[in-house]
Amino acid sequence: MPEMRFQIEWPDGTQETCYSPSLVVKDYLAVGETYSLEEFVTKIRAALKIASDRVQAKYGFPCGLALGQLKEIESKAMGYRDLPDPKVRAIQFIE
């Protein structure tokens, strides 16, 4: 199963490299696009859930790294919810 990383920029300008055990993130994010914080979290939640499910289908257990990455993203996103119109930008895919 091809894993990948994807780099994002949070509303405060900090950048983060995130993990996915599947290329499915490419179906949900586009490099260079900017998303509202809520839309980004919704898209990443769907993508990482699918990625984890693919690992479960292949190996018999969900992907702890994908689920952990999702929890990390959701937690960090909570810190930006009070900003006026917070945005997240997809910077690049790293395969």
Side-chain angles (χ1 to χ4, degrees), residues 17-50:
T17 301
C18 304
Y19 172 81
S20 172
S22 166
L23 302 179
V24 71
V25 172
K26 289 182 167 186
D27 294 339
Y28 287 83
L29 299 180
V31 170
E33 288 294 316
T34 301
Y35 303 92
S36 71
L37 183 66
E38 184 177 326
E39 179 185 19
F40 171 75
V41 171
T42 298
K43 286 177 172 282
I44 286 301
R45 185 179 294 126
L48 291 178
K49 174 76 169 95
I50 289 168

